[in-house]
């Protein structure tokens, strides 16, 4: 997942920008009701668009049928947002084109025939759309899309019709969360056709104060309208978060420092780490790093640590299927080791 | 039922959420529910419920127009199944269920006209149509402003655009044979 190791605009608040478009092949039933031979036909059609393509230098894709990918690897693709759970549930016919740089993926036979997405570090929605639109053009050279003059690109679910575009921004908002300002922000953005939810954790929890903000409306506004609307909203949230961080640091002083360094201490020494606690500590450290209090870590390394600590990542590291209590122990081990390496490389 | 969180007070708030297509239910007391950030947005429904709700509204007005037994010619989707799934079966369904979908789309998106990207293949007609509409608007304004020279130029441009479009349609028909 290359975006994690790269810096990007407003990386202190924005982890990544993701843009996704949905497309379907004309005159073939959508995946939910299609026959397996139709699924095969769609997968081969899309695959051949890229094996024969010469017009697009980048990205370079590897093709894989999901049925050939081991279950643990499938879950890792999901946790890294490179594929969706839906793709794994359609396993008989679903396939994936994965960019060698892990920025662009094309999911085949998910809810729609084609769902492609581009993830870039920091706030770069425009750039992500530009990359994706070129990939879209390559497919369109050889495939006739289901398209309606009035309704645009036709999708399985009526909530995606039109542009088929869903843009989202993954944001770390610890200071606004601590100040209990999130409710107001969530309410406000819902009035302009945007929606927000926690990325990690179930239900209303936003573990680690990580939120995903996306557009809700896909029919009517153009792609550029949707993206600029979301970008403007994000920029305002970024300003608010930065302001709140500074204010928080100013008012709490040494207490603030203390909380950050204690969090580092726990991650370096804990023998059992539950996901909830782990995410809270990571969030605290990330906040400290963003304010320049900790030089031993970069934001990119912290975000990498956060990904490593997610359940499927831990199961992969452990090399066996572990139950919940074992996972917490393995997580503590993995994080301890990773933190040690990082401190050593920095100081050595 | 007791509140799931404090396990003391009576659960009076029941929320169902669909996250990544997994359904989760929570039963909380008023106090615990309030501490949940999204409670303020009101209890959530599933997307499907929402779509069905819209469809029922749309359908009740037009219920008599379509016999219940009819199905989409390409995928075989019928109204009953469509309503149950809240999803379309293929691109053609959008034409087939046009009456039922109209109000649904209006309520979901607040719009019913796509203005974004258009596929080059098969979409070129539409791109030209959009351009013509835009130029006609400019032409009207030019005439209102009595800028006749500019109006003449615009008229030529529109004529030029209208010509190749017919040719292209001819070409497409050739290909179909
Ligand atoms: Zn309670
Ligand atoms: Zn159909």
């Amino acid at each position: 997942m290359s975006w994690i190791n790269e810096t990007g605009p407003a990386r202190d608040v924005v982890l990544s920008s993701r843009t996704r478009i949905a497309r379907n092949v004309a005159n073939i039933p959508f995946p939910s009701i299609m026959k397996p031979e139709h699924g095969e036909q769609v997968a081969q059609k899309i695959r051949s668009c890229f094996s024969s393509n010469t017009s697009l230098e980048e990205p370079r894709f590897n093709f894989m049928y999901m049925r050939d990918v081991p279950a643990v690897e499938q879950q890792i693709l999901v946790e890294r947002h490179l594929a969706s759970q839906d793709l794994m549930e359609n396993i008989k016919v679903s396939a994936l084109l994965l960019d060698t740089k892990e920025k662009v993926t094309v999911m085949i036979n998910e809810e729609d025939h084609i769902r492609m997405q581009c993830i870039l570090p920091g706030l770069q929605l425009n750039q992500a759309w530009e990359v994706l639109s070129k990939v879209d053009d390559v497919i369109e050279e050889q495939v006739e899309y289901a398209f309606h003059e009035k309704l645009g690109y036709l999708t399985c679910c009526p909530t995606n019709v039109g542009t088929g575009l869903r843009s989202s921004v993954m944001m770390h908002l610890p200071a606004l969360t601590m100040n209990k300002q999130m409710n107001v922000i969530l309410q406000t953005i819902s009035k302009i056709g945007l929606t927000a939810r926690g990325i990690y954790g179930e239900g209303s929890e936003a573990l680690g104060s990580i939120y995903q903000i996306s557009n809700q409306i896909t029919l009517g506004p153009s792609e550029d309208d949707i993206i600029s609307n979301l970008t403007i909203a994000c920029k305002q949230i970024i300003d608010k978060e930065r302001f709140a961080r500074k204010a928080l640091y100013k008012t709490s002083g040494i207490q603030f420092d203390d909380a950050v360094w204690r969090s580092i201490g726990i991650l370096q020494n804990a023998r059992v780490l539950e996901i909830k606690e782990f995410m809270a500590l990571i969030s605290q450290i990330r906040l400290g790093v963003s304010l320049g209090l900790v030089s031993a870590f970069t934001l990119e390394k912290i975000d990498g640590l956060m990904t490593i600590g997610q359940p499927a990542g831990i199961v992969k590291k452990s090399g066996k299927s572990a139950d919940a209590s074992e996972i917490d122990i393995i997580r503590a081990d993995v994080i301890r080791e990773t933190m040690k390496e990082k401190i050593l490389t920095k100081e050595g | 039922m007791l509140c799931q969180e404090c396990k003391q007070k009576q659960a009076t708030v029941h929320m169902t959420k669909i996250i990544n297509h997994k359904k989760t239910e929570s039963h909380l007391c008023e106090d615990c529910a309030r501490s949940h950030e999204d409670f303020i947005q009101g209890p959530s429904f599933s997307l499907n419920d929402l779509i069905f709700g819209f469809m029922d509204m749309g359908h009740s007005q037009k219920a008599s127009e379509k016999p219940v037994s009819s199905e989409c010619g390409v995928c075989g989707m019928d109204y009953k199944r469509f309503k149950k799934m809240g999803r379309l079966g293929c691109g053609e369904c959008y034409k087939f269920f046009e009456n039922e979908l109209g109000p649904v789309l209006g309520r979901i998106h607040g719009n019913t006209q796509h203005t974004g990207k258009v596929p080059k293949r098969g979409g070129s007609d539409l791109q030209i149509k959009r351009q013509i509409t835009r130029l006609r608007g400019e032409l009207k304004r030019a005439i209102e402003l009595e800028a006749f020279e500019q109006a003449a130029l615009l008229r030529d441009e529109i004529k030029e655009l209208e010509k190749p479009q017919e040719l292209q349609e001819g070409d497409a028909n050739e290909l179909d044979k």
Side-chain angles (χ1 to χ4, degrees):
Chain A
M1 189 164 49
S2 69
W3 67 262
I4 278 239
N5 305 315
E6 289 175 26
T7 187
R11 191 70 155 82
D12 57 332
V13 181
V14 179
L15 286 81
S16 64
S17 299
R18 174 154 61 133
T19 291
R20 177 219 83 188
I21 50 180
R23 299 284 187 259
N24 284 286
V25 182
N27 300 317
I28 294 183
F30 296 151
S32 55
I33 61 164
M34 80 187 343
K35 296 194 184 97
E37 53 265 37
H38 278 141
E40 205 64 36
Q41 199 185 328
V42 170
Q44 286 306 329
K45 218 171 187 170
I46 309 303
R47 181 185 197 172
S48 72
C49 291
F50 292 95
S51 51
S52 60
N53 157 60
T54 46
S55 63
L56 197 66
E57 291 261 311
E58 292 266 324
R60 290 271 146 224
F61 289 110
N62 289 317
F63 177 91
M64 56 194 97
Y65 280 108
M66 278 306 113
R67 55 179 184 247
D68 299 335
V69 177
V72 175
E73 298 290 333
Q74 289 177 13
Q75 280 320 303
I76 292 192
L77 288 169
V78 173
E79 264 177 17
R80 295 188 170 182
H81 307 291
L82 293 171
S84 67
Q85 195 57 47
D86 272 13
L87 194 72
M88 310 310 169
E89 264 141 42
N90 236 353
I91 199 102
K92 277 187 191 146
V93 288
S94 65
L96 182 70
L97 285 159
L98 181 60
D99 159 28
T100 48
K101 293 186 173 162
E102 297 195 355
K103 280 181 182 160
V104 185
T105 58
V106 181
M107 291 190 273
I108 300 168
N109 295 327
E110 204 239 29
E111 186 180 289
D112 295 295
H113 292 145
I114 305 165
R115 287 260 178 123
M116 49 190 128
Q117 64 159 27
C118 175
I119 308 184
L120 296 176
L123 187 63
Q124 303 195 61
L125 289 170
N126 255 323
Q127 292 83 340
W129 161 242
E130 274 167 30
V131 170
L132 223 46
S133 188
K134 281 186 192 131
V135 176
D136 183 38
D137 292 342
V138 170
I139 298 177
E140 202 226 298
E141 272 171 33
Q142 300 188 30
V143 173
E144 193 196 332
Y145 281 147
F147 184 84
H148 185 283
E149 222 181 271
K150 190 159 176 267
L151 299 176
Y153 294 94
L154 302 176
T155 53
C156 178
C157 183
T159 53
N160 293 318
V161 78
T163 55
L165 175 87
R166 193 81 59 199
S167 267
S168 32
V169 179
M170 206 205 285
M171 299 180 111
H172 182 219
L173 304 173
L176 291 174
T177 306
M178 278 183 232
N179 290 352
K180 306 219 180 302
Q181 284 175 279
M182 281 314 294
N183 275 343
V184 179
I185 288 171
L186 299 186
Q187 272 182 308
T188 313
I189 63 167
S190 73
K191 284 180 193 143
I192 53 166
L194 303 177
T195 158
R197 64 176 184 90
I199 292 204
Y200 298 108
E202 298 266 307
S204 58
E205 276 180 307
L207 288 188
S209 303
I210 307 277
Y211 295 84
Q212 176 173 281
I213 298 173
S214 11
N215 66 298
Q216 206 153 23
I217 291 162
T218 56
L219 175 63
S222 69
E223 289 84 357
D224 289 338
D225 293 340
I226 291 171
I227 286 163
S228 71
N229 186 26
L230 181 57
T231 304
I232 290 166
C234 286
K235 281 186 172 159
Q236 284 177 359
I237 298 173
I238 292 167
D239 284 348
K240 285 201 168 68
E241 170 68 23
R242 282 179 178 156
F243 183 84
R245 285 183 191 182
K246 282 190 196 124
L248 203 64
Y249 182 48
K250 237 185 198 164
T251 50
S252 354
I254 189 76
Q255 305 294 334
F256 190 96
D257 255 324
D258 184 60
V260 172
W261 284 102
R262 273 172 191 271
S263 303
I264 293 174
I266 294 172
L267 288 192
Q268 281 172 332
N269 293 290
R271 262 49 182 179
V272 182
L273 260 183
E274 209 202 319
I275 184 76
K276 235 176 168 169
E277 185 191 11
F278 168 69
M279 289 298 288
L281 296 168
I282 282 283
S283 174
Q284 188 71 255
I285 300 170
R286 199 182 192 280
L287 178 57
V289 172
S290 78
L291 289 166
L293 304 180
V294 188
S295 59
F297 301 103
T298 59
L299 289 167
E300 293 76 41
K301 292 219 162 133
I302 295 294
D303 293 345
L305 216 53
M306 185 161 73
T307 316
I308 293 171
Q310 299 307 311
I314 294 297
V315 173
K316 189 188 180 186
K317 271 259 156 128
S318 76
K320 53 179 179 183
S321 54
D323 69 29
S325 60
E326 283 175 316
I327 282 182
D328 294 345
I329 297 169
I330 301 165
R331 177 179 295 115
D333 291 346
V334 169
I335 296 299
R336 241 178 20 245
E337 285 307 307
T338 319
M339 302 250 322
K340 212 187 281 171
E341 285 162 28
K342 279 177 183 163
I343 294 265
L344 286 178
T345 28
K346 182 78 192 177
E347 287 167 3
Chain B
M1 184 189 286
L2 282 180
C3 168
Q4 280 175 340
E5 229 157 68
C6 60
K7 299 192 173 64
Q8 285 170 358
K9 275 169 269 181
Q10 202 63 29
T12 53
V13 180
H14 308 278
M15 291 188 279
T16 306
K17 307 198 89 195
I18 305 279
I19 294 145
N20 296 331
H21 299 265
K22 258 185 254 147
K23 197 164 141 189
T24 57
E25 281 175 11
S26 45
H27 309 280
L28 305 169
C29 71
E30 201 98 26
D31 290 339
C32 293
R34 203 164 291 133
S35 71
H36 279 249
E37 290 212 290
D38 59 354
F39 174 63
I40 201 144
Q41 295 179 318
S44 8
F45 324 74
S46 81
L47 187 59
N48 273 16
D49 290 344
L50 232 54
I51 293 170
F52 300 153
F54 294 157
M55 265 172 25
D56 280 337
M57 291 162 139
H59 196 241
S60 58
Q61 298 156 5
K62 319 224 167 173
S64 54
E65 284 177 25
K66 197 186 291 279
V68 188
S69 63
S70 56
E71 358 173 289
C72 166
V74 173
C75 71
M77 179 71 77
D78 60 32
Y79 181 73
K80 232 172 118 185
R81 197 157 162 226
F82 164 48
K83 201 186 151 190
K84 197 170 160 232
M85 292 171 67
R87 303 281 192 277
L88 285 307
C90 75
E92 287 305 301
C93 285
Y94 277 90
K95 285 177 206 148
F96 191 73
F97 297 111
E98 208 176 0
N99 287 343
E100 290 83 357
L101 269 169
V104 179
L105 294 173
R107 280 176 177 261
I108 296 173
H109 299 283
N111 301 285
T112 51
Q113 177 66 56
H114 175 64
T115 65
K117 188 173 177 176
V118 164
K120 284 184 205 87
R121 152 207 303 261
S124 57
D125 290 358
L126 180 56
Q127 275 169 335
I128 292 168
K129 269 188 210 160
R130 275 191 197 169
Q131 208 178 342
I132 292 173
T133 315
R134 188 179 52 80
L135 289 173
R136 287 217 176 104
E138 280 179 37
L139 176 63
K140 204 178 147 208
R141 242 165 301 148
I143 292 170
E144 276 165 10
L145 294 169
E146 300 188 0
F148 296 116
E149 234 168 89
Q150 201 200 342
L153 285 175
L154 286 166
R155 200 169 298 140
D156 288 348
E157 212 178 317
I158 291 168
K159 257 186 205 152
E160 201 58 35
L161 280 171
E162 277 168 341
K163 237 188 285 166
Q165 193 185 0
E166 280 156 24
L167 275 177
Q168 275 179 354
E169 272 166 13
D171 285 346
N173 289 338
E174 286 298 318
L175 285 175
D176 284 341
K177 290 166 201 163

